[in-house]
Each structure stands twice: as structure tokens, then as C-alpha cells.
Amino acid sequence: LEQLLRNFIAVSDDTGRWRRQLARVHAELNNLEAGVQLLEELQRADLLSTEDYRSLAIWYHALDLRTKHEAAQVKVYRFQQPWQLHQR
């Protein structure tokens, strides 16, 4: 699966869809550092969604990166619509 996703990324990944999925595969395989690196690349390209920031915050917490965890938590709420905040 990992190699298949890398092949998709090599062909085209303008929206970050395949890198996002590869990051989740890395996390499932207990390689959070690689998953974080992929999501940070997407963050620099401004391609992260609220759910991506939520995953990134959880992974930072698991890696004991408190400052980055807190920054990602803030971005989770920054990118939500007001009606979504009420549901939390």
C-alpha cells in the first residue's frame, strides 16, 4: 500500500490527497515522525483541512511536542465554521 501511494504521489498530487493517505499509513505503522513530516509538507503548501490539523495535533502529542501540539490545536478551531464549534 505504501509503495502504491508513493507511485500515485509521483504521478500527481496537487491536492495532497495521496500524501495525506500515506501519512495515515505511516501513523498506523507506528511511524509518526514520517506521518508528521508529510502533513507538515502539506501545511507549508496550505493544503491541510481541520481533520488534518486534528490528526497532526494528536501525533504531536504522542511525540511529546507540546508547543507544536498546542499550535495545531488552535488551527483545528481556526478553520472550523462557527456552527461546527457549537457541536463540539
Side-chain angles (χ1 to χ4, degrees), residues 2-15:
E2 186 177 341
Q3 186 56 47
L4 182 64
L5 289 170
R6 289 187 188 282
N7 292 341
F8 286 143
I9 291 167
V11 172
S12 176
D13 192 31
D14 297 338
T15 63

Side-chain angles (χ1 to χ4, degrees), residues 24-37:
R24 295 189 193 299
V25 167
H26 282 301
E28 288 292 326
L29 296 174
N30 202 27
N31 189 1
L32 291 177
E33 293 87 357
V36 164
Q37 184 179 9

Side-chain angles (χ1 to χ4, degrees), residues 3 11 20 22 32-33 36 43 56 65 69 74 87:
Q3 186 56 47
V11 172
R20 188 175 293 114
L22 183 57
L32 291 177
E33 293 87 357
V36 164
Q43 182 180 17
L56 194 55
L65 299 171
H69 164 75
V74 168
Q87 292 180 344

Side-chain angles (χ1 to χ4, degrees), residues 18-67:
W18 303 118
R19 284 177 285 175
R20 188 175 293 114
Q21 295 306 319
L22 183 57
R24 295 189 193 299
V25 167
H26 282 301
E28 288 292 326
L29 296 174
N30 202 27
N31 189 1
L32 291 177
E33 293 87 357
V36 164
Q37 184 179 9
L38 285 165
L39 287 188
E40 286 177 341
E41 288 174 15
L42 292 173
Q43 182 180 17
R44 285 189 290 276
D46 198 28
L47 295 174
L48 290 185
S49 68
T50 300
E51 290 303 316
D52 297 329
Y53 276 113
R54 184 170 285 114
S55 295
L56 194 55
I58 292 168
W59 297 350
Y60 282 146
H61 183 71
L63 294 170
D64 200 26
L65 299 171
R66 184 180 179 107
T67 305

